[in-house]
């Protein structure tokens, strides 16, 4: 039955996202960004509710009090498809950094552009970092959080890779904090996996990390150590 439930949710995920993207592209241009974000939060909230109802896969959040006032940079563990839509519910109004190929997808990509996502060429090295710094500075000045998956790609549970420096640089140059967010979604919904286990995903929002006057690699090492330690199942 869990296999069937997983299949049903996957079908719903694609249908709901496709229909919502079409509606978003029609309505979104008429709305200010915060209203568009509220629509995106409705999309993500519905997915989380259906996931809980169909697959019996829920989540709980610890450390919500660690989200500081103002707008900052959230670094989120990337191990599942779950966090790609859960983030709109977990983090205050924000834009996220993503691979540019996603904005080429009809309707979905147009919706992402309306959400002012920072699309980068992950193979561009320094140019990709510079793009995040330039666009991120503008988004921060306009009052939005920035969400980054610092590993750049989904990693199997218990594994990681060197974090990209753009988040730490962005925080240092714009006098913002790094907020680390860990979770164990990869144990319930593995990357590239259809099957979703029953249970409760644990999300932990960590104490903010200051980047002021520090080397980006040092900031990353601190954030990565915290995120990986709290992402264990």
């Amino acid at each position: 039955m869990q296999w069937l439930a997983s299949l049903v949710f996957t079908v719903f995920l694609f249908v709901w996202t496709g229909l919502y993207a079409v509606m978003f592209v029609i309505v979104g241009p008429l709305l200010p960004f915060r209203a568009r974000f509220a629509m995106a939060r409705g999309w993500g909230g519905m997915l989380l509710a259906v996931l809980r109802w169909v697959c019996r896969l829920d989540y709980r959040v610890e450390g919500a009090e660690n989200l500081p006032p103002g707008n900052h940079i959230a670094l989120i563990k990337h191990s599942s498809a779950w966090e790609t839509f859960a983030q709109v519910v977990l983090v205050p109004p924000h834009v996220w950094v993503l691979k540019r190929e996603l904005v080429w997808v009809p309707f979905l990509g147009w919706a992402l552009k309306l959400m002012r996502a920072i699309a980068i060429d992950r193979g561009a090295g320094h140019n990709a970092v510079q793009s995040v710094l330039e666009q991120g500075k503008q988004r921060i000045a306009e009052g939005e959080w920035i969400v980054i998956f610092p590993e750049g790609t989904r990693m199997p549970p218990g594994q990681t890779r060197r974090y990209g420096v753009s988040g730490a640089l962005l925080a240092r140059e714009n006098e913002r904090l790094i907020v680390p967010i860990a979770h164990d979604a990869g144990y319930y919904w593995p990357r590239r996996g259809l099957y979703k286990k029953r249970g409760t995903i644990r999300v932990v929002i960590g104490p903010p990390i200051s980047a002021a006057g520090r080397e980006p690699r040092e900031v990353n090492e601190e954030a990565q150590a915290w995120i990986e330690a709290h992402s264990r199942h």
Side-chain angles (χ1 to χ4, degrees), residues 16-64:
W16 172 247
T17 299
L19 292 175
Y20 211 87
V22 172
M23 179 186 68
F24 194 88
V25 168
I26 295 171
V27 177
L30 306 176
L31 302 173
F33 176 77
R34 290 303 173 100
R36 278 179 258 158
F37 188 84
M39 288 184 65
R41 183 163 279 176
W43 161 77
M46 176 62 77
L47 288 174
L48 290 171
V50 173
L51 183 64
R52 179 174 62 249
W53 179 60
V54 173
C55 297
R56 300 294 187 266
L57 179 55
D58 203 355
Y59 73 99
R60 72 174 188 271
V61 179
E62 303 171 14

Side-chain angles (χ1 to χ4, degrees), residues 25-174:
V25 168
I26 295 171
V27 177
L30 306 176
L31 302 173
F33 176 77
R34 290 303 173 100
R36 278 179 258 158
F37 188 84
M39 288 184 65
R41 183 163 279 176
W43 161 77
M46 176 62 77
L47 288 174
L48 290 171
V50 173
L51 183 64
R52 179 174 62 249
W53 179 60
V54 173
C55 297
R56 300 294 187 266
L57 179 55
D58 203 355
Y59 73 99
R60 72 174 188 271
V61 179
E62 303 171 14
E65 68 278 3
N66 287 323
L67 288 171
N71 57 314
H72 302 275
I73 291 90
L75 300 186
I76 303 181
K77 176 67 181 175
H78 202 17
S79 60
S80 172
W82 181 83
E83 61 270 14
T84 61
F85 59 83
Q87 66 180 21
V88 296
V89 176
L90 298 172
V91 183
H94 62 267
V95 302
W96 55 92
V97 178
L98 45 77
K99 59 183 180 181
R100 65 177 181 176
E101 289 82 0
L102 289 175
V103 302
W104 299 340
V105 180
F107 290 104
L108 174 62
W110 304 337
L112 290 171
K113 287 182 179 179
L114 284 171
M115 289 303 297
R116 301 166 66 224
I118 301 174
I120 61 169
D121 177 2
R122 292 191 301 188
H126 176 74
N127 289 336
V129 173
Q130 193 61 34
S131 181
V132 173
L133 295 180
E134 292 173 359
Q135 295 183 63
K137 180 179 181 180
Q138 179 183 359
R139 304 294 194 275
I140 288 172
E142 293 169 353
E144 314 308 336
W145 281 66
I146 308 293
V147 166
I148 298 176
F149 297 126
E151 291 157 307
T153 189
R154 284 175 285 180
M155 301 298 297
Q159 297 184 29
T160 187
R161 63 191 294 183
R162 189 172 70 176
Y163 281 19
V165 299
S166 58
L169 280 170
L170 191 61
R172 187 181 69 178
E173 293 186 5
N174 293 276

